[in-house]
Every structure is written in structure tokens, then in C-alpha cells.
Amino acid sequence: MSLSRWSRALLAALVLAGCKSENPPAAPTPAPSAPAAAAPAKAPAPAPAPAPAPAPTPAPASGLALSYLKPSDPERCEWLRQPIPTGEPTPVFSFNGACDRSMVSWSPDGKEGLVFTWPSGEGELPKAWRVDMNAHTGKPLDLKTLPGGKGAGGQDQPYIEQIGFDKQGRPVAIVADVYVSREPQKGADGQTVVAFEGKSYPLSEGLEGSPGLAHAYRLEEGGWKRIETKGSAFESDIAPGTNVLDALKTLTPVAKASAPEQAMPGAEAPAAAVKKLDTAFPGQEESGQWMVLTTPGGPVYFRGTLGGEFLYPSAPIAWEEGGKMVAPDGLWVKPNDAVGLKQQDEWLLIANYGTPRSAQVWNTRTRDRVLAAEDANAPAFWPKPGGP
């Protein structure tokens, strides 16, 4: 039924009802109205979330490990850390430089490293990076203000010999300035001196080699600051070179790709051992000498080979088994290769600086080889934080 029809019927009914009653019915009492609902209380604003705590600084990797440099291409190098006795090598830092012309060092707390690459010829520049060991990143160091920082260091020009950390964790550059055609001077007292920046530095009498100066520069907020200079002699096997510097003695360990210039390790082998060694490895040069290195697993013997005026460690390398001298199983060293022999607890690192280069680690107690790395440059045991 339409709305209009319902409306007419309703009106008719109302008229009829009005005719039957004089007084219209009282209007119904309206229902009491419900009280107005109270406005809800305003909720308190949520407390701001606490700021996230800063992530803790990760500690440098710990545990016994080997450090070495391995080329990824001729002018690209990776600094690797490989756990001992087992584990895969982990990249620490990659840089544009030749591994066989580089060296690395560690800050006293182990949180930073330094990489230095020396130039090989004209047109090349020395390069250095300061490495964050946790982030595996490095920032280049500006070397241009250092003597020798702008070139390869030709004749009568200074060159950067190494860069390392001092005991306070500050980078220190060691610079050599060798006099070839330049002549030293005579001081007022008749002593031979070398002049530099308005000051004279005496040379010790009787030194063999070319005269020159050894410098130490420390990196401070304003740049490199010279902290020490001494007169010295260079380019001779017995010349002291930059070793005259007191600053050099304060630096933390440096691992170089070049064969280490160090005193022969160990001692002269006893006669009984020499007899067995000559039987096991006949035909050795008479200018050489058998040497012995004491390890927790027993004596390790090696050949001292004459190079210049001094002996250097070389092959054969052997230990005694069943009354006979035998080479360590799997040794990658040829006769006359220059090697480095380094110990840490019962572990023995044999670093080959010949061709091809390599690093191998043995447990001297079990005689087991636990690590062998090919193309390894500047190998060294990873220093313990705060250690030597």
C-alpha cells in the first residue's frame, strides 16, 4: 500500500474519534529522558618509546690466527686472517697495491691496523691506509707532506721505509735519506755531520756504508710532525740504517712482504745432530751452517745460508724421527729460499720468501701441518691485543 493511502486512512480515523469524545485524551507522559552520557576521559598520551641502546662495539676477532696478504690481481691485495688450527681465511681489508711490496701492523689494542705499500719505480707513489679491524674498512693516509711521500725515492732522495703504530696507537713513519753524491760536512769540532733544516747531526766514526739521515714522523691532529732525526749509515750489511732511531724501538710489530732483516734465530746445531743432518742432506755449501731452534715439540734444524756478510735461514729444514733427520711432511721450501721461522706456543710458522711465496704452520708436538697458504706475503702470527 502506498504511503499516501496510509495517510488518508489515518486522518479519517482521527476525525471519527474526535466526534465521539468532547475532551481529547491527555497526552501521554513523556518518558524521562536518559541522562546525557558523560564524555569519556581523555586517555593519557603514551610515553615515548625509550631510545634504542647503542649497539656495543664488537671486539676484534680473537684466538690464534695467521695474518697474511694474498693478491687478487697484480695490483689488488687482500689482508686475510686465518684461524689456527682450523678455519677459513676472513678478509680484513682490500686495497689497491702489490702484496709483495706491502707491510701491515697492529695498534696496541688490536682494534686498528696499518697497511703501507712502497713504490717500485719512477712514477709510483707510496700509499698507506688506517684500517678499522671491526668494520673491515680503511681510510687512506695523506703522505704527501712526508719526505719521500711524493715519489719512489731515487738517488739522493728520501724514502719512507715503514709505517707502524707507537705504544699509544699513533701512526709513525720511518724515513731514510741516504747520501750518495751529496757529501757530509765537517762540524766545528771536526766531527763529520749531516745538516738538515738548519741543524747538524753527527755521524759515528768508522761506520760502513753510505752516510745519511734517519727520521721519525708522528701523525698528529695537524699532520705529520718530525719527532726524531739521527745521522746513520746505509747500504751495507752491517750498516745500522734507521735502527739508530729510538722511535723505531717503540713501534708495535710490523709484518713485511720482504724477507725480515733479523738476527739469525736459534743457535748452532750440536755436532751429533750435524753428523745426522749431513748424512740426510748431503752436498751443502761449506759456507753455510746447521742451526737449531728449540720448540715445545723438540728441536727443529735448518740451514743457515750465506748471503752477503751474514747467514739467513733457509732449507733444508728437518726434525728427528726414529733416529733420522727428515723434512716436515709437505714443506714448500727449496734450497736457498729465504725463510722466516716464527713460534707461538707449540705452533711453528715457516714463511717462504722465495718463489712461490707461502706460509705453513705446524704443531711441533704432533708434527702435523695445520695450515698451508699459497701466494702468502708478509705472514705473521696475529698479535694478541696488548701483546708484543
Side-chain angles (χ1 to χ4, degrees):
M1 183 177 290
S2 68
L3 178 62
S4 60
R5 293 181 63 187
W6 274 112
S7 299
R8 292 192 196 101
L10 180 60
L11 289 173
L14 292 173
V15 172
L16 180 60
C19 294
K20 291 181 178 180
S21 175
E22 294 182 0
N23 300 317
T29 304
S33 59
K42 189 175 181 180
T57 302
S62 59
L64 183 66
L66 184 72
S67 163
Y68 60 96
L69 302 174
K70 186 169 182 134
S72 53
D73 65 45
E75 290 297 324
R76 183 76 178 170
C77 185
E78 279 193 319
W79 186 2
L80 300 174
R81 182 184 190 278
Q82 185 163 350
I84 297 171
T86 59
E88 294 299 316
T90 301
V92 175
F93 178 61
S94 297
F95 57 96
N96 292 324
C99 290
D100 60 359
R101 289 187 285 105
S102 297
M103 64 180 69
V104 299
S105 57
W106 295 261
S107 64
D109 59 10
K111 295 180 180 180
E112 290 187 294
L114 283 172
V115 175
F116 173 62
T117 299
W118 60 88
S120 63
E122 188 175 350
E124 294 191 6
L125 297 175
K127 294 180 285 188
W129 296 265
R130 191 169 187 168
V131 179
D132 184 324
M133 294 295 200
N134 297 321
H136 295 181
T137 58
K139 296 181 179 180
L141 295 181
D142 187 357
L143 307 179
K144 293 191 294 293
T145 58
L146 284 172
K150 296 180 180 179
Q155 181 172 306
D156 282 306
Q157 294 179 351
Y159 61 90
I160 302 171
E161 189 174 273
Q162 75 175 65
I163 299 179
F165 285 105
D166 65 11
K167 299 301 182 183
Q168 287 72 45
R170 299 168 296 189
V172 173
I174 304 299
V175 177
D177 187 5
V178 183
Y179 278 42
V180 179
S181 60
R182 294 172 293 174
E183 292 291 337
Q185 304 169 359
K186 287 292 184 181
D189 56 358
Q191 188 176 19
T192 304
V193 299
V194 177
F196 181 74
E197 294 184 353
K199 190 174 178 180
S200 295
Y201 297 91
L203 297 173
S204 299
E205 297 295 332
L207 287 179
E208 286 195 24
S210 301
L213 292 172
H215 306 285
Y217 289 79
R218 186 172 59 224
L219 184 59
E220 300 182 349
E221 285 191 14
W224 293 98
K225 177 184 177 182
R226 183 164 60 91
I227 57 173
E228 186 182 7
T229 295
K230 285 186 177 180
S232 188
F234 300 82
E235 299 185 337
S236 167
D237 287 342
I238 60 175
T242 57
N243 290 322
V244 298
L245 292 172
D246 295 328
L248 185 64
K249 303 175 180 66
T250 70
L251 301 189
T252 59
V254 175
K256 301 180 181 180
S258 55
E261 299 173 1
Q262 62 181 18
M264 173 69 74
E268 186 176 346
V274 168
K275 186 175 180 179
K276 293 180 180 180
L277 289 162
D278 286 339
T279 300
F281 306 101
Q284 301 298 316
E285 293 287 339
E286 292 184 2
S287 59
Q289 181 176 314
W290 288 111
M291 306 292 293
V292 60
L293 186 68
T294 302
T295 77
V300 174
Y301 302 94
F302 62 95
R303 190 69 178 174
T305 300
L306 186 64
E309 298 186 35
F310 294 97
L311 297 174
Y312 64 87
S314 184
I317 300 173
W319 41 42
E320 189 169 359
E321 291 184 357
K324 296 181 179 180
M325 296 293 181
V326 296
D329 189 29
L331 181 65
W332 295 340
V333 179
K334 306 184 300 296
N336 299 324
D337 281 346
V339 301
L341 300 169
K342 301 174 184 177
Q343 290 189 79
Q344 187 161 315
D345 302 326
E346 71 268 32
W347 310 99
L348 174 66
L349 166 62
I350 301 180
N352 185 7
Y353 296 94
T355 303
R357 299 190 176 198
S358 64
Q360 298 174 277
V361 177
W362 273 266
N363 184 324
T364 60
R365 297 187 189 276
T366 65
R367 306 285 174 91
D368 291 329
R369 187 181 71 173
V370 298
L371 187 152
E374 298 179 293
D375 295 327
N377 295 266
F381 286 114
W382 199 274
K384 300 173 184 178

